[in-house]
């Protein structure tokens, strides 16, 4: 089942977007997702700092 999330406070750091949303249990989660074609990087974090760090250090394997 796909997650239908409403993201807020979305920031672009290079090709990676970082956004904040609530998960299915009502907890705040921060997501970092790469928007480059064929990259597929996406991960949820408990803190905004961790998501932004992942966005800053992400390197796309597809060039």
């Amino acid at each position: 089942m796909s997650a239908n999330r409403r993201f807020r406070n979305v920031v672009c750091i290079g090709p990676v977007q970082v956004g904040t949303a609530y998960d299915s249990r009502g907890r705040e989660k921060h997501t970092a997702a790469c928007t480059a074609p064929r990259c597929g990087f996406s991960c949820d974090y408990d803190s905004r700092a961790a998501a932004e760090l992942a966005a800053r250090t992400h390197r796309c394997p597809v060039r």
Side-chain angles (χ1 to χ4, degrees):
M1 186 171 158
S2 66
N4 187 11
R5 298 183 185 162
R6 295 186 56 118
F7 288 98
R8 57 181 166 54
N9 198 9
V10 177
V11 174
C12 289
I13 300 173
V16 181
Q17 289 186 343
V18 177
T20 303
Y22 291 104
D23 67 358
S24 60
R25 297 183 179 189
R27 295 177 295 197
E28 192 175 61
K29 292 290 183 177
H30 308 277
T31 303
C34 186
T35 59
R38 299 185 316 268
C39 179
F41 169 75
S42 154
C43 200
D44 289 336
Y45 297 93
D46 291 330
S47 70
R48 179 79 182 195
E52 289 184 5
L53 179 64
R56 284 185 176 82
T57 59
H58 172 68
R59 300 288 176 250
C60 291
V62 180
R63 295 273 177 192

